[in-house]
């Protein structure tokens, strides 16, 4: 993805164009992530893993908080986003597995 740096944008219209492109990329990445959740739905029953694995949830949250911190993003914001994403994923898994 070729984005112009924010400081290269000289108008709000240019800046919004870059934000829109970035949003599209984020949505594509989340859609890709959901395909991995779909695969987990197929694999977990055979491995005896429940849809909710609290240790894994906390591991993922720790990892994304650290990534946020390394990248200058508020870890609390990222934790909130990921906990919502994880809860959505678990609900999807539970619905499909049962």
């Amino acid at each position: 993805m070729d984005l112009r740096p924010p400081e290269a944008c000289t108008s709000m219209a240019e800046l919004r164009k870059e934000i829109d492109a970035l949003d599209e990329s984020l949505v594509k990445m989340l859609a890709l992530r959901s395909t991995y959740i779909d695969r987990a739905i197929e694999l977990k029953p055979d491995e005896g893993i429940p849809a909710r694995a609290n240790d894994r949830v906390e591991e993922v949250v720790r990892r994304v908080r650290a990534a946020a911190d390394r990248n200058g993003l508020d870890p609390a914001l990222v934790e909130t986003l990921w906990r919502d994403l994880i809860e959505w994923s678990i609900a999807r898994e539970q619905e499909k597995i049962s």
Side-chain angles (χ1 to χ4, degrees):
M1 169 178 53
D2 273 336
L3 289 176
R4 295 173 61 193
E7 59 275 5
C9 297
T10 58
S11 70
M12 283 304 299
E14 289 177 3
L15 189 66
R16 287 177 177 154
K17 180 181 175 199
E18 298 304 313
I19 290 171
D20 291 348
L22 184 55
D23 288 348
E24 180 74 21
S25 294
L26 289 169
V27 169
K28 285 180 183 178
M29 293 299 295
L30 289 170
L32 177 59
R33 189 184 192 283
S34 75
T35 67
Y36 285 86
I37 300 305
D38 291 344
R39 182 64 176 141
I41 292 167
E42 296 170 358
L43 294 173
K44 280 184 174 183
D46 291 342
E47 295 186 27
I49 300 171
R52 179 178 299 281
N54 290 326
D55 290 346
R56 175 64 179 155
V57 170
E58 296 311 314
E59 174 189 338
V60 170
V61 169
R62 280 191 303 275
R63 185 181 48 74
V64 297
R65 282 184 65 93
D69 194 46
R70 283 191 308 274
N71 288 283
L73 188 58
D74 180 1
L77 169 65
V78 170
E79 179 174 348
T80 297
L81 294 170
W82 251 258
R83 285 196 185 276
D84 283 350
L85 180 60
I86 290 166
E87 287 305 315
W88 176 86
S89 299
I90 290 169
R92 183 176 168 152
E93 288 179 30
Q94 288 173 332
E95 179 183 315
K96 300 276 183 166
I97 288 173
S98 48

